[in-house]
Amino acid sequence: MTDFLTAAFYKFVELPDYAQLQAPLLLCCEANDVKGTILLASEGVNSTIAGPAAGVYAVLAYLRSDPRLGDLQHKEAWSAKAPFYRIKVRLKREIVTMGVPGISASLMAGTYVKPQDWNALISDPEVVVIDTRNDYEVGIGSFSGALNPEIKNFSKLPEWIAQAPALHPASGKKPKVAMFCTGGIRCEKSTALLRSQGYDEVYHLEGGILKYLETIAPQQSLWQGQCFVFDERVSVGHGLKPEQHSLCRACRQPLDETDLASALFETGVSCPKCHAITSETQKNSARERQRQWELARARQQVHIGAKMNTTI
């Protein structure tokens, strides 16, 4: 049974009044039993929400009632359990944090490439293909031949770009570049950064990896592994079917069967990827949090879904 609809969407658009959008949008989500996170900034909106289909569509309709978001596109996936436990509508400086002033993805982004045309582009030996995601995301799947910047977070990408030998001009000419990410938002901003630096031939995968996996059959795919997603599905494969990864509640990284079988794994407390970097005090705090969660679940009470402050 697939009772929960997940909708992922973003749009780079000038929203100077974004702070005034927060409260009514939160009320709309609560009225329609929709959970997840919505980020609002002067540069646009970025979100993944989930709930009953009618509720999710009502929130999307509400957003599109703003003429600036009238053409907002979203991606859908279904699941048998709730992907999120609370709703958060947050105000941010950027909807995806790069930390480079003056980059306008709504005006400067590179050329979209549809999933059906992506294989031909990245198979061109003269094209530099870059995965703009974090290292733990790349670790469970990527496109064959793509460069991995090995960054801990997206704000580190500009530094890597400045130093990457593959992006250095050859014979005075900057290379052709293709960038991709989970849903399109990070590579859209990344291509805007490159264009601001004088790269003329810059491309990005329209709809991101998720649209590619939804559109391209496994037999024709150049994707290898799974795609990490920021909800309770953890990872998806072709057709956006949930895969077998779990999530470490301490470090939020994906775990496979080997990780779960490790002596360093403790539910809600640690995993092989974070055990050595958290103190015993932190682990004990996590143990207490996990104990409270299990008690609440046994009593059929809401714990992690309790309403929280929605502004930062």
Side-chain angles (χ1 to χ4, degrees), residues 6 16 26 45 111 123 131 243 299:
T6 297
L26 177 61
V45 59
T111 303
S123 297
D131 192 329
E243 294 291 343
R299 297 166 181 162

Side-chain angles (χ1 to χ4, degrees), residues 57-219:
Y57 291 140
V59 172
L60 291 171
Y62 175 81
L63 286 164
R64 291 173 180 138
S65 68
D66 186 324
R68 298 168 297 183
L69 300 173
D71 59 350
L72 182 69
Q73 302 294 311
H74 74 278
K75 304 178 190 70
E76 294 188 359
W78 294 88
S79 60
K81 63 178 182 178
F84 304 106
Y85 300 108
R86 60 173 69 94
I87 179 64
K88 295 175 283 187
V89 181
R90 291 182 165 176
L91 305 180
K92 305 281 284 184
R93 289 186 179 89
E94 303 174 71
I95 56 173
V96 57
T97 302
M98 176 178 276
V100 179
I103 301 300
S104 174
S106 62
L107 300 175
M108 302 166 64
T111 303
Y112 286 112
V113 177
K114 293 189 177 299
Q116 297 88 339
D117 302 321
W118 183 248
N119 287 357
L121 175 65
I122 66 173
S123 297
D124 183 341
E126 294 187 359
V127 174
V128 178
V129 185
I130 301 173
D131 192 329
T132 67
R133 300 173 301 152
N134 300 337
D135 53 4
Y136 64 88
E137 299 173 77
V138 182
I140 66 169
S142 191
F143 283 107
S144 176
L147 296 181
N148 176 10
E150 299 183 4
I151 54 176
K152 296 298 181 185
N153 55 68
F154 184 64
S155 63
K156 300 295 183 183
L157 186 65
E159 180 182 347
W160 179 87
I161 286 174
Q163 300 174 355
L167 292 175
H168 291 169
S171 302
K173 180 178 174 60
K174 293 185 175 182
K176 185 186 300 185
V177 181
M179 310 181 98
F180 65 92
C181 60
T182 307
I185 186 170
R186 283 178 281 186
C187 50
E188 193 162 335
K189 200 159 187 178
S190 302
T191 58
L193 174 65
L194 286 183
R195 289 195 62 207
S196 75
Q197 297 178 350
Y199 290 81
D200 296 323
E201 295 184 272
V202 187
Y203 304 87
H204 54 102
L205 177 57
E206 184 173 359
I209 300 162
L210 295 179
K211 192 64 177 179
Y212 182 92
L213 294 177
E214 180 184 9
T215 306
I216 305 301
Q219 298 85 347

Side-chain angles (χ1 to χ4, degrees), residues 30-43:
E30 291 177 335
N32 288 283
D33 197 25
V34 168
K35 307 293 195 296
T37 300
I38 302 176
L39 304 181
L40 295 171
S42 60
E43 69 176 2

